[in-house]
Amino acid sequence: MTWRGALLTALVLSVSLSRIRPSAAAKASANITAVAEQQKMALVTKPSSHMVRTFDITLVTIATYDRMPLFKLLIERWQGPAVFLCVIEGASQKERPKWQKALHKAAGKGRLKMGRVYISPTAPDEFPINRFRNMAISKVATSHLFYVDVDFVPSATSYQDAKQLLLKNREYSQDRTYAFVVPAFMYAGSCQDVKACLKQFGDEIPGTFPQLMSQVQQRKSKVMAFGSKSAAQDSTDYDKWMSQGAEEVRPIECLSNLRYEPYVIVRKSDLLPSFDERFTGYGKNKIQWIVHLRYLGFKFMVLPQVFLTHFPHPPSDSKNSWDSGHRQRMDKLYLDFLEELHMLAVNRGTKLQIRLCEEASGTPEEDEDSPMIIHEDGR
């Protein structure tokens, strides 16, 4: 494993969560306390600009302990600064040394400021995913951050390439209202558990743009999609991306639908919103943040030849609980959230910088007098 140039910060936390009723999900953060071994950490949920010190990109990710092997794969690719938060459920005092040793081994001995994150067993649909995201983001000390789910593997030189592109395009990267899209792909494969997946596909995830193009032609990799559609990613326009110049940063002029949910590199500033902590478990917890960026007037630019690949793995417990009533709760919360954003935008006079394309199908045109809506089959 190569660690040169990497600065990896782990959040050192001791967390106690009691079982939370769905109706009380918004109060989850009140049950969280944190103590650092080497330094005390304020539980800041609003990204703070005063912490920013250098022009750089920090990758941010979180994972439950069972997905630690995926973190190892991710961090082998990303050679820049990173903030990692590992959540361990149900670990007893006697088991804690084992978790410490495993974390050290996965992250690279001597390179990880060792931390511990323990929570009591929590129902999948009550898992405070956005609370943990905010806690991790609060520790970013560079000009830009790149939140990535732990099951997405960056291209081999993604850090170096993305940083150079942002440096060459300072008119955009110094503007806090630009988000830089890193296209996402999905590797086609299935397996029984994470370890089996790593053994079967660990060496197959494309690392370079030519390797990715070869796999796309062989239909091993495809545009990241949810279900049978790619609505969550297709506004990136992958046909244009595949022929995009190696130094061309391309603006997204309009959206093909309202379900766009890209992974983006953004500037850390007081304008950057937190993830809404009312969203728990699986579903709607990341798209709400992307939509919030749009309502704050963010513009989206697509980076060339930098990409992510979703690593195959069995569905999580949170995803399995999606259709057990949790989906209806999150759908309703999401619609309420959109109404809130719309009213805030009206009161502030904020204009959406990216609107629906005229040829967008299956979604009604949005206007300034009505909030966005979501498809009934949308995630």
Side-chain angles (χ1 to χ4, degrees):
M1 180 187 302
T2 303
W3 289 90
R4 184 173 299 171
L7 171 61
L8 185 63
T9 304
L11 300 182
V12 186
L13 305 168
S14 176
V15 182
S16 176
L17 285 180
S18 60
R19 187 174 182 83
I20 305 169
R21 299 187 307 276
S23 61
K27 300 179 180 178
S29 60
N31 296 324
I32 298 179
T33 58
V35 178
E37 286 182 345
Q38 298 181 5
Q39 59 179 330
K40 291 186 178 181
M41 301 178 181
L43 297 183
V44 180
T45 58
K46 178 68 176 178
S48 177
S49 60
H50 78 273
M51 295 176 63
V52 176
R53 293 189 290 271
T54 58
F55 184 93
D56 212 336
I57 306 169
T58 298
L59 183 144
V60 179
T61 192
I62 69 173
T64 50
Y65 180 77
D66 61 310
R67 293 196 174 180
M68 274 297 300
L70 296 180
F71 165 70
K72 180 180 178 182
L73 185 62
L74 181 156
I75 208 64
E76 283 177 346
R77 291 284 186 89
W78 182 261
Q79 294 297 304
V83 173
F84 172 60
L85 189 155
C86 181
V87 181
I88 303 171
E89 294 188 75
S92 68
Q93 291 287 344
K94 293 181 179 180
E95 293 174 315
R96 292 189 177 192
K98 180 178 68 176
W99 306 132
Q100 276 192 305
K101 183 178 180 180
L103 286 168
H104 273 304
K105 182 178 180 180
K109 188 176 181 180
R111 291 293 182 176
L112 174 65
K113 293 181 179 179
M114 186 57 206
R116 296 169 297 186
V117 183
Y118 301 100
I119 67 173
S120 57
T122 305
D125 59 358
E126 297 168 0
F127 187 81
I129 177 71
N130 280 355
R131 175 58 173 168
F132 290 139
R133 284 169 171 163
N134 289 333
M135 292 170 73
I137 288 173
S138 75
K139 298 308 298 177
V140 172
T142 58
S143 60
H144 291 75
L145 65 93
F146 180 27
Y147 177 79
V148 177
D149 289 325
V150 76
D151 51 354
F152 281 81
V153 183
S155 46
T157 57
S158 54
Y159 166 67
Q160 298 91 327
D161 295 342
K163 185 176 180 179
Q164 285 302 310
L165 288 165
L166 265 60
L167 285 170
K168 290 179 180 179
N169 293 274
R170 285 183 178 270
E171 68 272 28
Y172 302 127
S173 62
Q174 291 183 344
D175 188 327
R176 62 182 185 167
T177 63
Y178 277 89
F180 299 89
V181 175
V182 177
F185 289 78
M186 175 187 290
Y187 187 87
S190 61
C191 43
Q192 293 183 341
D193 54 48
V194 172
K195 289 185 177 180
C197 292
L198 286 169
K199 184 176 181 179
Q200 188 172 352
F201 305 117
D203 296 329
E204 298 294 321
I205 303 302
T208 66
F209 183 73
Q211 288 174 353
L212 175 67
M213 292 300 94
S214 175
Q215 290 197 1
V216 168
Q217 293 174 359
Q218 299 173 40
R219 297 187 177 182
K220 288 185 177 180
S221 292
K222 59 183 179 180
V223 174
M224 183 65 194
F226 298 108
S228 60
K229 301 179 180 179
S230 59
Q233 303 291 330
D234 64 359
S235 292
T236 299
D237 197 332
Y238 284 77
D239 289 336
K240 286 185 179 180
W241 182 77
M242 291 177 188
S243 60
Q244 196 170 321
E247 297 186 359
E248 177 191 358
V249 178
R250 174 174 55 84
I252 294 178
E253 304 290 350
C254 61
L255 301 185
S256 59
N257 61 77
L258 299 177
R259 293 173 58 195
Y260 192 41
E261 191 179 2
Y263 287 94
V264 295
I265 297 171
V266 291
R267 190 170 187 88
K268 188 177 182 183
S269 75
D270 291 333
L271 181 64
L272 188 68
S274 301
F275 283 85
D276 193 307
E277 296 178 11
R278 292 174 295 177
F279 291 87
T280 59
Y282 180 85
K284 303 297 192 301
N285 53 60
K286 186 164 69 67
I287 192 173
Q288 62 81 204
W289 186 68
I290 295 297
V291 172
H292 200 163
L293 296 181
R294 287 190 62 215
Y295 267 93
L296 288 173
F298 276 66
K299 286 83 69 176
F300 293 78
M301 308 286 286
V302 184
L303 296 181
Q305 300 190 14
V306 181
F307 59 92
L308 296 165
T309 304
H310 180 262
F311 192 85
H313 60 81
S316 65
D317 291 338
S318 293
K319 187 172 184 180
N320 288 332
S321 70
W322 178 233
D323 290 319
S324 63
H326 181 61
R327 176 173 186 165
Q328 288 71 29
R329 291 191 295 272
M330 293 299 101
D331 281 352
K332 183 181 183 303
L333 175 58
Y334 185 64
L335 290 174
D336 292 343
F337 176 76
L338 293 179
E339 183 67 36
E340 292 170 8
L341 287 183
H342 174 68
M343 294 307 298
L344 285 172
V346 170
N347 292 336
R348 295 174 179 173
T350 305
K351 300 287 185 180
L352 290 174
Q353 298 298 312
I354 306 177
R355 305 182 70 83
L356 278 176
C357 304
E358 291 184 2
E359 66 275 15
S361 61
T363 52
E365 180 60 53
E366 57 184 331
D367 57 53
E368 296 179 5
D369 297 321
S370 62
M372 294 191 298
I373 68 168
I374 186 171
H375 293 291
E376 291 183 357
D377 65 342
R379 175 173 170 267

